[in-house]
Amino acid sequence: DLKNGILRTPDEPERMIDEDPLRMLRIVRFHARFGFRYAEGLRELIRERAWRLEIISAERIQEEFSRMLLLRDPACAVRELRELGLLKVFAPELDAMHGVEQGKWHQADVFEHTMHVLNGTRADLVLRMAALLHDVGKPETKIIKEGEIRFFSHEVVGAAITKRFLKRLRYSTEFIDQVSLLVKNHMRLGSMEQFSAPAARRLLRDLRGHEELLFELVQADVDSLINVPKKIDVNAIRQRIHEVA
């Protein structure tokens, strides 16, 4: 099986998964990490047994999920979690992004856009989690105004959802604060024509030393957009911040 790239449980898959449902997450992680395919019937079994993940402690789910986000291709793991019904069990906020259309500046729905942004970031857990959650507020804030899809204050709503989600999975208070800070501020760099010195000082004050992570998040977000008349020049803003600092 190792030679042929097959994921197979060492004993009867029904018994192995019922004994410890966390193994479903581990199987997904191995699939995303090594590119192995599932043994016959295993994928279907996971889909049938996904609900059993409810009995697993938040701490154990957190550990597996964090490992997935640090993979070379984290989006592969998250997509698979959704397709198997596992994401809906422990992260319904993320599952809700699927199918939410975004309008002319995007080539994908909120979920797929998020996957592009996620894979556009380096393997830092705070940054990757912020990328995963940066648009989590869009499903709740979607409206159509003058024929265009809009998401007013989705970053504020998203920061609140981020805090609830990460708290539920028992992440540390420091980690939650860092991620929610990035989510709340990810629209900030594009909110003005010119990034003035006062705006730079406010950003330095509010980001509390995490401005470089914000730059990286915004750059990944910008890179995923299409047909935008004028994209945010993240490097120019970064230079402006450094000058003011």
Side-chain angles (χ1 to χ4, degrees):
D1 286 341
L2 283 171
K3 180 180 178 181
N4 295 321
I6 298 173
L7 284 169
R8 192 191 313 277
T9 56
D11 204 338
E12 287 298 319
E14 293 89 348
R15 189 185 72 79
M16 296 292 291
I17 288 175
D18 285 347
E19 183 181 87
D20 186 2
L22 187 74
R23 287 172 177 148
M24 293 186 288
L25 295 187
R26 196 164 295 132
I27 289 167
V28 169
R29 178 162 61 85
F30 288 169
H31 166 75
R33 180 180 177 185
F34 300 113
F36 284 12
R37 65 185 187 276
Y38 301 93
E40 186 176 353
L42 183 57
R43 201 168 192 270
E44 293 73 21
L45 179 65
I46 292 175
R47 191 177 282 115
E48 292 172 5
R49 294 287 208 277
W51 62 273
R52 286 190 55 79
L53 199 62
E54 294 175 352
I55 71 172
I56 299 299
S57 71
E59 290 84 356
R60 295 186 71 206
I61 292 174
Q62 177 212 120
E63 183 178 358
E64 277 297 326
F65 191 51
S66 294
R67 288 180 177 181
M68 289 182 198
L69 293 185
L70 293 175
L71 294 175
R72 182 176 297 178
D73 184 1
C76 174
V78 180
R79 286 190 184 102
E80 195 68 7
L81 290 172
R82 193 198 68 79
E83 291 174 10
L84 293 176
L86 293 164
L87 200 63
K88 187 181 294 185
V89 177
F90 76 92
E93 301 92 340
L94 300 178
D95 188 73
M97 297 191 296
H98 186 261
V100 179
E101 296 301 325
Q102 302 191 86
K104 60 184 178 181
W105 307 131
H106 295 269
Q107 56 188 336
D109 66 9
V110 176
F111 184 84
E112 276 305 315
H113 161 72
T114 298
M115 295 302 98
H116 287 295
V117 176
L118 177 62
N119 270 13
T121 57
R122 61 184 171 88
D124 175 277
L125 189 57
V126 171
L127 181 58
R128 286 268 172 93
M129 189 67 79
L132 181 67
L133 295 163
H134 79 284
D135 278 348
V136 74
K138 282 189 171 179
E140 287 191 18
T141 59
K142 181 180 177 180
I143 64 169
I144 298 179
K145 184 175 182 180
E146 299 176 352
E148 292 190 8
I149 298 173
R150 307 295 294 273
F151 304 95
F152 292 114
S153 298
H154 75 272
E155 67 277 14
V156 178
V157 173
I161 294 173
T162 293
K163 288 182 178 181
R164 293 197 300 269
F165 169 65
L166 296 179
K167 186 176 181 180
R168 192 173 70 241
L169 286 187
R170 303 290 193 272
Y171 282 93
S172 70
T173 300
E174 180 182 6
F175 182 82
I176 294 172
D177 288 345
Q178 290 174 350
V179 175
S180 60
L181 184 70
L182 295 177
V183 171
K184 184 177 181 179
N185 287 279
H186 82 273
M187 296 293 292
R188 194 163 171 176
L189 302 191
S191 62
M192 58 192 71
E193 283 294 319
Q194 292 186 339
F195 210 77
S196 64
R201 284 193 288 272
R202 288 193 296 270
L203 188 74
L204 285 168
R205 176 198 66 198
D206 296 343
L207 267 293
R208 306 190 298 272
H210 296 94
E211 54 272 7
E212 187 56 43
L213 288 177
L214 181 67
F215 295 148
E216 293 183 49
L217 173 60
V218 172
Q219 187 65 65
D221 197 11
V222 167
D223 289 343
S224 71
L225 302 178
I226 60 169
N227 301 324
V228 179
K230 184 180 180 182
K231 289 189 176 182
I232 301 169
D233 188 342
V234 177
N235 285 329
I237 295 175
R238 179 188 278 112
Q239 182 60 36
R240 184 65 168 151
I241 293 290
H242 288 166
E243 288 171 1
V244 171

